[in-house]
Amino acid sequence: MFEYVQDYGLKFNGALTPRKKTVRIIEHHTSGGPGETVQGIHAYHLGRGHKGIDYNFCVLPDGTVVKGRGLEYCGGSVNNSAPESKGMNDDSVAIVALGDFEHNEMPEAQKEGLKRITRDVAQYYGITEIIRHKDVSDTDCPGKYFPFDEVKAYALGGQPQPAPTPEPSVPGLTRNLKLTDPMMRGADVRQAQERLEKHLAQPGKIDGIYGEKTKAAVKRFQQARKNEGRDIGAVDGIIGPKTWRILWE
Ligand SMILES: [Zn+2]
């Protein structure tokens, strides 16, 4: 995490869920008054049955950045089931500025803290999508005086647009691929062998024939993914939908 972020050691009610992917930052205000604290917000969200404070990071009026849920965990800052914000708690970093910026200007120091953490998160994940809570919900949050354009411009300034991740699209799997007698042949087997080779699973000759070497390579590939904690199903040398999909990563 970023060295300037303060950790108040907040205790959460149960394990937080790590995000599987991160595509955007959502900016909030608390709409609270003076005297509001991170611990107070945490207690309030706990009281509402949440695991704890809904935000990943909090920015205090003096510019101090405080760890909420932390960088890598799912938040709870938007309605995860409403159509406009569906699933966004699972792929966004939520940053909140303490204060009511529907009615008040933001102190300069707080603006600086907000810009810094927003930029660092954006650069850490190589993301350019930065939105306000009100962009996806019927709310004033983060308020009309929230310096959104300034924060966003700063966070993305001079940052090269990240190239889209070159992920091969997954072709359809029309049958499970496995060692049979006679052996399976076809373009799908060849594709699988090519992917196995890319993953260094040593399928041997790329010949479109599912033989012993292909089966052994599939088992090696499955075992390696299993060791990484992936849900691969059985290590059986059979390419079903799960193994097929992961082959294309
Ligand atoms: Zn909000």
Side-chain angles (χ1 to χ4, degrees), residues 44-76:
Y44 175 65
H45 289 170
L46 278 171
R48 292 171 66 185
H50 300 192
K51 283 181 177 172
I53 192 164
D54 289 333
Y55 311 105
N56 298 89
F57 295 103
C58 311
V59 184
L60 309 187
D62 70 358
T64 303
V65 182
V66 179
K67 180 181 170 185
R69 294 200 178 195
L71 184 62
E72 63 267 45
Y73 296 102
C74 294

PDB file of all heavy atoms in Angstrom, residues 44-76:
ATOM      1  N   TYR A  44     -20.716   3.195  12.331  1.00  0.00           N
ATOM      2  CA  TYR A  44     -22.033   3.383  11.735  1.00  0.00           C
ATOM      3  C   TYR A  44     -22.328   2.294  10.692  1.00  0.00           C
ATOM      4  O   TYR A  44     -23.399   1.687  10.671  1.00  0.00           O
ATOM      5  CB  TYR A  44     -22.103   4.777  11.107  1.00  0.00           C
ATOM      6  CG  TYR A  44     -23.373   5.063  10.354  1.00  0.00           C
ATOM      7  CD1 TYR A  44     -24.605   5.120  11.012  1.00  0.00           C
ATOM      8  CD2 TYR A  44     -23.347   5.289   8.975  1.00  0.00           C
ATOM      9  CE1 TYR A  44     -25.771   5.386  10.316  1.00  0.00           C
ATOM     10  CE2 TYR A  44     -24.510   5.562   8.274  1.00  0.00           C
ATOM     11  CZ  TYR A  44     -25.721   5.611   8.944  1.00  0.00           C
ATOM     12  OH  TYR A  44     -26.868   5.855   8.243  1.00  0.00           O
ATOM     13  N   HIS A  45     -21.348   2.009   9.836  1.00  0.00           N
ATOM     14  CA  HIS A  45     -21.563   0.991   8.810  1.00  0.00           C
ATOM     15  C   HIS A  45     -21.647  -0.411   9.422  1.00  0.00           C
ATOM     16  O   HIS A  45     -22.416  -1.241   8.967  1.00  0.00           O
ATOM     17  CB  HIS A  45     -20.460   1.074   7.747  1.00  0.00           C
ATOM     18  CG  HIS A  45     -20.582   2.289   6.875  1.00  0.00           C
ATOM     19  ND1 HIS A  45     -19.605   2.690   5.992  1.00  0.00           N
ATOM     20  CD2 HIS A  45     -21.580   3.206   6.754  1.00  0.00           C
ATOM     21  CE1 HIS A  45     -19.991   3.800   5.366  1.00  0.00           C
ATOM     22  NE2 HIS A  45     -21.185   4.128   5.819  1.00  0.00           N
ATOM     23  N   LEU A  46     -20.855  -0.655  10.465  1.00  0.00           N
ATOM     24  CA  LEU A  46     -20.972  -1.931  11.191  1.00  0.00           C
ATOM     25  C   LEU A  46     -22.385  -2.081  11.742  1.00  0.00           C
ATOM     26  O   LEU A  46     -23.003  -3.145  11.658  1.00  0.00           O
ATOM     27  CB  LEU A  46     -19.963  -1.993  12.345  1.00  0.00           C
ATOM     28  CG  LEU A  46     -18.532  -2.401  12.024  1.00  0.00           C
ATOM     29  CD1 LEU A  46     -17.644  -2.192  13.238  1.00  0.00           C
ATOM     30  CD2 LEU A  46     -18.459  -3.855  11.554  1.00  0.00           C
ATOM     31  N   GLY A  47     -22.902  -0.972  12.278  1.00  0.00           N
ATOM     32  CA  GLY A  47     -24.237  -0.980  12.868  1.00  0.00           C
ATOM     33  C   GLY A  47     -25.323  -1.253  11.850  1.00  0.00           C
ATOM     34  O   GLY A  47     -26.414  -1.717  12.196  1.00  0.00           O
ATOM     35  N   ARG A  48     -25.018  -0.948  10.586  1.00  0.00           N
ATOM     36  CA  ARG A  48     -25.996  -1.228   9.539  1.00  0.00           C
ATOM     37  C   ARG A  48     -25.854  -2.654   8.991  1.00  0.00           C
ATOM     38  O   ARG A  48     -26.466  -3.013   7.979  1.00  0.00           O
ATOM     39  CB  ARG A  48     -25.838  -0.226   8.397  1.00  0.00           C
ATOM     40  CG  ARG A  48     -26.238   1.185   8.821  1.00  0.00           C
ATOM     41  CD  ARG A  48     -25.890   2.206   7.774  1.00  0.00           C
ATOM     42  NE  ARG A  48     -26.677   2.022   6.541  1.00  0.00           N
ATOM     43  CZ  ARG A  48     -26.493   2.742   5.435  1.00  0.00           C
ATOM     44  NH1 ARG A  48     -25.577   3.675   5.405  1.00  0.00           N
ATOM     45  NH2 ARG A  48     -27.237   2.526   4.375  1.00  0.00           N
ATOM     46  N   GLY A  49     -25.003  -3.425   9.650  1.00  0.00           N
ATOM     47  CA  GLY A  49     -24.869  -4.832   9.251  1.00  0.00           C
ATOM     48  C   GLY A  49     -23.819  -5.054   8.177  1.00  0.00           C
ATOM     49  O   GLY A  49     -23.699  -6.147   7.631  1.00  0.00           O
ATOM     50  N   HIS A  50     -23.028  -4.002   7.853  1.00  0.00           N
ATOM     51  CA  HIS A  50     -21.960  -4.177   6.876  1.00  0.00           C
ATOM     52  C   HIS A  50     -20.743  -4.769   7.588  1.00  0.00           C
ATOM     53  O   HIS A  50     -20.691  -4.826   8.812  1.00  0.00           O
ATOM     54  CB  HIS A  50     -21.586  -2.840   6.235  1.00  0.00           C
ATOM     55  CG  HIS A  50     -22.735  -2.191   5.507  1.00  0.00           C
ATOM     56  ND1 HIS A  50     -22.585  -1.125   4.671  1.00  0.00           N
ATOM     57  CD2 HIS A  50     -24.057  -2.475   5.489  1.00  0.00           C
ATOM     58  CE1 HIS A  50     -23.762  -0.774   4.181  1.00  0.00           C
ATOM     59  NE2 HIS A  50     -24.673  -1.568   4.662  1.00  0.00           N
ATOM     60  N   LYS A  51     -19.756  -5.184   6.794  1.00  0.00           N
ATOM     61  CA  LYS A  51     -18.552  -5.743   7.414  1.00  0.00           C
ATOM     62  C   LYS A  51     -17.730  -4.672   8.100  1.00  0.00           C
ATOM     63  O   LYS A  51     -16.821  -4.960   8.884  1.00  0.00           O
ATOM     64  CB  LYS A  51     -17.705  -6.439   6.349  1.00  0.00           C
ATOM     65  CG  LYS A  51     -18.278  -7.803   5.956  1.00  0.00           C
ATOM     66  CD  LYS A  51     -17.414  -8.496   4.930  1.00  0.00           C
ATOM     67  CE  LYS A  51     -17.972  -9.882   4.627  1.00  0.00           C
ATOM     68  NZ  LYS A  51     -17.249 -10.494   3.503  1.00  0.00           N
ATOM     69  N   GLY A  52     -18.033  -3.437   7.790  1.00  0.00           N
ATOM     70  CA  GLY A  52     -17.300  -2.312   8.348  1.00  0.00           C
ATOM     71  C   GLY A  52     -17.404  -1.164   7.381  1.00  0.00           C
ATOM     72  O   GLY A  52     -18.278  -1.172   6.507  1.00  0.00           O
ATOM     73  N   ILE A  53     -16.517  -0.198   7.519  1.00  0.00           N
ATOM     74  CA  ILE A  53     -16.588   0.995   6.669  1.00  0.00           C
ATOM     75  C   ILE A  53     -16.623   0.590   5.189  1.00  0.00           C
ATOM     76  O   ILE A  53     -15.896  -0.298   4.757  1.00  0.00           O
ATOM     77  CB  ILE A  53     -15.413   1.958   6.983  1.00  0.00           C
ATOM     78  CG1 ILE A  53     -15.642   3.308   6.334  1.00  0.00           C
ATOM     79  CG2 ILE A  53     -14.073   1.355   6.595  1.00  0.00           C
ATOM     80  CD1 ILE A  53     -14.755   4.418   6.908  1.00  0.00           C
ATOM     81  N   ASP A  54     -17.511   1.241   4.457  1.00  0.00           N
ATOM     82  CA  ASP A  54     -17.774   0.830   3.074  1.00  0.00           C
ATOM     83  C   ASP A  54     -16.706   1.274   2.078  1.00  0.00           C
ATOM     84  O   ASP A  54     -16.675   0.794   0.951  1.00  0.00           O
ATOM     85  CB  ASP A  54     -19.113   1.426   2.617  1.00  0.00           C
ATOM     86  CG  ASP A  54     -20.305   0.766   3.290  1.00  0.00           C
ATOM     87  OD1 ASP A  54     -20.180  -0.408   3.677  1.00  0.00           O
ATOM     88  OD2 ASP A  54     -21.346   1.432   3.413  1.00  0.00           O
ATOM     89  N   TYR A  55     -15.858   2.222   2.494  1.00  0.00           N
ATOM     90  CA  TYR A  55     -14.919   2.828   1.547  1.00  0.00           C
ATOM     91  C   TYR A  55     -13.533   2.204   1.672  1.00  0.00           C
ATOM     92  O   TYR A  55     -13.139   1.741   2.726  1.00  0.00           O
ATOM     93  CB  TYR A  55     -14.803   4.337   1.816  1.00  0.00           C
ATOM     94  CG  TYR A  55     -16.141   5.024   1.934  1.00  0.00           C
ATOM     95  CD1 TYR A  55     -16.632   5.419   3.177  1.00  0.00           C
ATOM     96  CD2 TYR A  55     -16.920   5.263   0.803  1.00  0.00           C
ATOM     97  CE1 TYR A  55     -17.862   6.052   3.298  1.00  0.00           C
ATOM     98  CE2 TYR A  55     -18.153   5.890   0.915  1.00  0.00           C
ATOM     99  CZ  TYR A  55     -18.628   6.275   2.165  1.00  0.00           C
ATOM    100  OH  TYR A  55     -19.840   6.888   2.277  1.00  0.00           O
ATOM    101  N   ASN A  56     -12.777   2.268   0.588  1.00  0.00           N
ATOM    102  CA  ASN A  56     -11.410   1.749   0.621  1.00  0.00           C
ATOM    103  C   ASN A  56     -10.446   2.750   1.263  1.00  0.00           C
ATOM    104  O   ASN A  56      -9.532   2.361   1.985  1.00  0.00           O
ATOM    105  CB  ASN A  56     -10.942   1.403  -0.795  1.00  0.00           C
ATOM    106  CG  ASN A  56     -11.790   0.313  -1.413  1.00  0.00           C
ATOM    107  OD1 ASN A  56     -12.805   0.601  -2.051  1.00  0.00           O
ATOM    108  ND2 ASN A  56     -11.439  -0.935  -1.187  1.00  0.00           N
ATOM    109  N   PHE A  57     -10.673   4.029   0.967  1.00  0.00           N
ATOM    110  CA  PHE A  57      -9.815   5.075   1.533  1.00  0.00           C
ATOM    111  C   PHE A  57     -10.664   6.281   1.946  1.00  0.00           C
ATOM    112  O   PHE A  57     -11.674   6.563   1.309  1.00  0.00           O
ATOM    113  CB  PHE A  57      -8.766   5.544   0.507  1.00  0.00           C
ATOM    114  CG  PHE A  57      -7.782   4.484   0.128  1.00  0.00           C
ATOM    115  CD1 PHE A  57      -7.888   3.824  -1.087  1.00  0.00           C
ATOM    116  CD2 PHE A  57      -6.752   4.135   0.983  1.00  0.00           C
ATOM    117  CE1 PHE A  57      -6.985   2.831  -1.439  1.00  0.00           C
ATOM    118  CE2 PHE A  57      -5.835   3.148   0.635  1.00  0.00           C
ATOM    119  CZ  PHE A  57      -5.962   2.492  -0.574  1.00  0.00           C
ATOM    120  N   CYS A  58     -10.200   6.964   2.994  1.00  0.00           N
ATOM    121  CA  CYS A  58     -10.881   8.151   3.493  1.00  0.00           C
ATOM    122  C   CYS A  58      -9.878   9.308   3.495  1.00  0.00           C
ATOM    123  O   CYS A  58      -8.720   9.119   3.863  1.00  0.00           O
ATOM    124  CB  CYS A  58     -11.364   7.927   4.920  1.00  0.00           C
ATOM    125  SG  CYS A  58     -12.251   6.387   5.161  1.00  0.00           S
ATOM    126  N   VAL A  59     -10.346  10.472   3.100  1.00  0.00           N
ATOM    127  CA  VAL A  59      -9.477  11.645   3.115  1.00  0.00           C
ATOM    128  C   VAL A  59     -10.047  12.652   4.110  1.00  0.00           C
ATOM    129  O   VAL A  59     -11.184  13.101   3.976  1.00  0.00           O
ATOM    130  CB  VAL A  59      -9.363  12.270   1.709  1.00  0.00           C
ATOM    131  CG1 VAL A  59      -8.362  13.423   1.745  1.00  0.00           C
ATOM    132  CG2 VAL A  59      -8.952  11.220   0.678  1.00  0.00           C
ATOM    133  N   LEU A  60      -9.232  12.964   5.119  1.00  0.00           N
ATOM    134  CA  LEU A  60      -9.661  13.869   6.184  1.00  0.00           C
ATOM    135  C   LEU A  60      -9.530  15.330   5.729  1.00  0.00           C
ATOM    136  O   LEU A  60      -8.817  15.620   4.772  1.00  0.00           O
ATOM    137  CB  LEU A  60      -8.803  13.645   7.444  1.00  0.00           C
ATOM    138  CG  LEU A  60      -8.668  12.206   7.950  1.00  0.00           C
ATOM    139  CD1 LEU A  60      -7.937  12.210   9.304  1.00  0.00           C
ATOM    140  CD2 LEU A  60     -10.028  11.536   8.063  1.00  0.00           C
ATOM    141  N   PRO A  61     -10.216  16.229   6.421  1.00  0.00           N
ATOM    142  CA  PRO A  61     -10.131  17.652   6.056  1.00  0.00           C
ATOM    143  C   PRO A  61      -8.703  18.192   6.008  1.00  0.00           C
ATOM    144  O   PRO A  61      -8.402  19.080   5.229  1.00  0.00           O
ATOM    145  CB  PRO A  61     -10.951  18.345   7.157  1.00  0.00           C
ATOM    146  CG  PRO A  61     -11.943  17.306   7.577  1.00  0.00           C
ATOM    147  CD  PRO A  61     -11.213  15.997   7.488  1.00  0.00           C
ATOM    148  N   ASP A  62      -7.794  17.617   6.816  1.00  0.00           N
ATOM    149  CA  ASP A  62      -6.412  18.114   6.784  1.00  0.00           C
ATOM    150  C   ASP A  62      -5.563  17.425   5.728  1.00  0.00           C
ATOM    151  O   ASP A  62      -4.355  17.623   5.658  1.00  0.00           O
ATOM    152  CB  ASP A  62      -5.763  17.948   8.173  1.00  0.00           C
ATOM    153  CG  ASP A  62      -5.508  16.487   8.531  1.00  0.00           C
ATOM    154  OD1 ASP A  62      -5.858  15.582   7.734  1.00  0.00           O
ATOM    155  OD2 ASP A  62      -4.968  16.226   9.625  1.00  0.00           O
ATOM    156  N   GLY A  63      -6.189  16.580   4.908  1.00  0.00           N
ATOM    157  CA  GLY A  63      -5.471  15.943   3.810  1.00  0.00           C
ATOM    158  C   GLY A  63      -4.927  14.565   4.143  1.00  0.00           C
ATOM    159  O   GLY A  63      -4.424  13.864   3.263  1.00  0.00           O
ATOM    160  N   THR A  64      -5.018  14.155   5.404  1.00  0.00           N
ATOM    161  CA  THR A  64      -4.550  12.821   5.785  1.00  0.00           C
ATOM    162  C   THR A  64      -5.405  11.764   5.076  1.00  0.00           C
ATOM    163  O   THR A  64      -6.631  11.881   5.032  1.00  0.00           O
ATOM    164  CB  THR A  64      -4.685  12.616   7.308  1.00  0.00           C
ATOM    165  OG1 THR A  64      -3.959  13.631   7.972  1.00  0.00           O
ATOM    166  CG2 THR A  64      -4.163  11.245   7.730  1.00  0.00           C
ATOM    167  N   VAL A  65      -4.721  10.761   4.529  1.00  0.00           N
ATOM    168  CA  VAL A  65      -5.444   9.664   3.893  1.00  0.00           C
ATOM    169  C   VAL A  65      -5.422   8.479   4.847  1.00  0.00           C
ATOM    170  O   VAL A  65      -4.370   8.078   5.345  1.00  0.00           O
ATOM    171  CB  VAL A  65      -4.814   9.274   2.543  1.00  0.00           C
ATOM    172  CG1 VAL A  65      -5.611   8.158   1.874  1.00  0.00           C
ATOM    173  CG2 VAL A  65      -4.736  10.491   1.620  1.00  0.00           C
ATOM    174  N   VAL A  66      -6.603   7.935   5.121  1.00  0.00           N
ATOM    175  CA  VAL A  66      -6.735   6.852   6.088  1.00  0.00           C
ATOM    176  C   VAL A  66      -7.273   5.611   5.384  1.00  0.00           C
ATOM    177  O   VAL A  66      -8.177   5.687   4.551  1.00  0.00           O
ATOM    178  CB  VAL A  66      -7.687   7.254   7.241  1.00  0.00           C
ATOM    179  CG1 VAL A  66      -7.836   6.121   8.240  1.00  0.00           C
ATOM    180  CG2 VAL A  66      -7.187   8.510   7.926  1.00  0.00           C
ATOM    181  N   LYS A  67      -6.709   4.487   5.742  1.00  0.00           N
ATOM    182  CA  LYS A  67      -7.155   3.210   5.192  1.00  0.00           C
ATOM    183  C   LYS A  67      -8.547   2.880   5.719  1.00  0.00           C
ATOM    184  O   LYS A  67      -8.797   2.919   6.925  1.00  0.00           O
ATOM    185  CB  LYS A  67      -6.169   2.129   5.635  1.00  0.00           C
ATOM    186  CG  LYS A  67      -6.491   0.743   5.143  1.00  0.00           C
ATOM    187  CD  LYS A  67      -5.436  -0.241   5.673  1.00  0.00           C
ATOM    188  CE  LYS A  67      -5.854  -1.672   5.400  1.00  0.00           C
ATOM    189  NZ  LYS A  67      -4.911  -2.624   6.000  1.00  0.00           N
ATOM    190  N   GLY A  68      -9.455   2.571   4.798  1.00  0.00           N
ATOM    191  CA  GLY A  68     -10.759   2.058   5.187  1.00  0.00           C
ATOM    192  C   GLY A  68     -10.683   0.544   5.059  1.00  0.00           C
ATOM    193  O   GLY A  68     -10.062  -0.127   5.871  1.00  0.00           O
ATOM    194  N   ARG A  69     -11.299   0.013   3.983  1.00  0.00           N
ATOM    195  CA  ARG A  69     -11.160  -1.431   3.745  1.00  0.00           C
ATOM    196  C   ARG A  69      -9.777  -1.767   3.204  1.00  0.00           C
ATOM    197  O   ARG A  69      -9.370  -2.915   3.208  1.00  0.00           O
ATOM    198  CB  ARG A  69     -12.224  -1.894   2.762  1.00  0.00           C
ATOM    199  CG  ARG A  69     -13.614  -1.760   3.345  1.00  0.00           C
ATOM    200  CD  ARG A  69     -14.624  -2.622   2.632  1.00  0.00           C
ATOM    201  NE  ARG A  69     -15.920  -2.473   3.287  1.00  0.00           N
ATOM    202  CZ  ARG A  69     -16.952  -3.284   3.099  1.00  0.00           C
ATOM    203  NH1 ARG A  69     -16.836  -4.304   2.265  1.00  0.00           N
ATOM    204  NH2 ARG A  69     -18.089  -3.083   3.726  1.00  0.00           N
ATOM    205  N   GLY A  70      -9.089  -0.760   2.685  1.00  0.00           N
ATOM    206  CA  GLY A  70      -7.773  -0.996   2.116  1.00  0.00           C
ATOM    207  C   GLY A  70      -7.858  -1.168   0.613  1.00  0.00           C
ATOM    208  O   GLY A  70      -8.939  -1.291   0.037  1.00  0.00           O
ATOM    209  N   LEU A  71      -6.703  -1.213   0.006  1.00  0.00           N
ATOM    210  CA  LEU A  71      -6.606  -1.156  -1.451  1.00  0.00           C
ATOM    211  C   LEU A  71      -7.309  -2.300  -2.165  1.00  0.00           C
ATOM    212  O   LEU A  71      -8.000  -2.106  -3.159  1.00  0.00           O
ATOM    213  CB  LEU A  71      -5.122  -1.137  -1.839  1.00  0.00           C
ATOM    214  CG  LEU A  71      -4.793  -0.995  -3.315  1.00  0.00           C
ATOM    215  CD1 LEU A  71      -5.318   0.325  -3.863  1.00  0.00           C
ATOM    216  CD2 LEU A  71      -3.286  -1.092  -3.527  1.00  0.00           C
ATOM    217  N   GLU A  72      -7.162  -3.521  -1.664  1.00  0.00           N
ATOM    218  CA  GLU A  72      -7.465  -4.666  -2.525  1.00  0.00           C
ATOM    219  C   GLU A  72      -8.822  -5.328  -2.298  1.00  0.00           C
ATOM    220  O   GLU A  72      -9.117  -6.350  -2.917  1.00  0.00           O
ATOM    221  CB  GLU A  72      -6.349  -5.715  -2.409  1.00  0.00           C
ATOM    222  CG  GLU A  72      -6.195  -6.305  -1.032  1.00  0.00           C
ATOM    223  CD  GLU A  72      -5.152  -5.570  -0.185  1.00  0.00           C
ATOM    224  OE1 GLU A  72      -5.130  -4.339  -0.147  1.00  0.00           O
ATOM    225  OE2 GLU A  72      -4.345  -6.247   0.447  1.00  0.00           O
ATOM    226  N   TYR A  73      -9.659  -4.736  -1.431  1.00  0.00           N
ATOM    227  CA  TYR A  73     -10.903  -5.419  -1.091  1.00  0.00           C
ATOM    228  C   TYR A  73     -12.136  -4.774  -1.720  1.00  0.00           C
ATOM    229  O   TYR A  73     -12.159  -3.582  -1.997  1.00  0.00           O
ATOM    230  CB  TYR A  73     -11.070  -5.476   0.426  1.00  0.00           C
ATOM    231  CG  TYR A  73      -9.982  -6.291   1.067  1.00  0.00           C
ATOM    232  CD1 TYR A  73      -8.923  -5.682   1.704  1.00  0.00           C
ATOM    233  CD2 TYR A  73      -9.987  -7.680   0.961  1.00  0.00           C
ATOM    234  CE1 TYR A  73      -7.900  -6.428   2.257  1.00  0.00           C
ATOM    235  CE2 TYR A  73      -8.974  -8.437   1.508  1.00  0.00           C
ATOM    236  CZ  TYR A  73      -7.929  -7.809   2.157  1.00  0.00           C
ATOM    237  OH  TYR A  73      -6.913  -8.549   2.682  1.00  0.00           O
ATOM    238  N   CYS A  74     -13.164  -5.600  -1.925  1.00  0.00           N
ATOM    239  CA  CYS A  74     -14.457  -5.105  -2.394  1.00  0.00           C
ATOM    240  C   CYS A  74     -14.990  -4.117  -1.359  1.00  0.00           C
ATOM    241  O   CYS A  74     -14.807  -4.304  -0.159  1.00  0.00           O
ATOM    242  CB  CYS A  74     -15.451  -6.242  -2.551  1.00  0.00           C
ATOM    243  SG  CYS A  74     -15.028  -7.431  -3.831  1.00  0.00           S
ATOM    244  N   GLY A  75     -15.659  -3.084  -1.845  1.00  0.00           N
ATOM    245  CA  GLY A  75     -16.250  -2.104  -0.949  1.00  0.00           C
ATOM    246  C   GLY A  75     -17.739  -2.317  -0.820  1.00  0.00           C
ATOM    247  O   GLY A  75     -18.272  -3.375  -1.199  1.00  0.00           O
ATOM    248  N   GLY A  76     -18.404  -1.305  -0.275  1.00  0.00           N
ATOM    249  CA  GLY A  76     -19.858  -1.375  -0.136  1.00  0.00           C
ATOM    250  C   GLY A  76     -20.464  -0.005  -0.351  1.00  0.00           C
ATOM    251  O   GLY A  76     -21.447   0.346   0.269  1.00  0.00           O
TER     252      GLY A  76
END
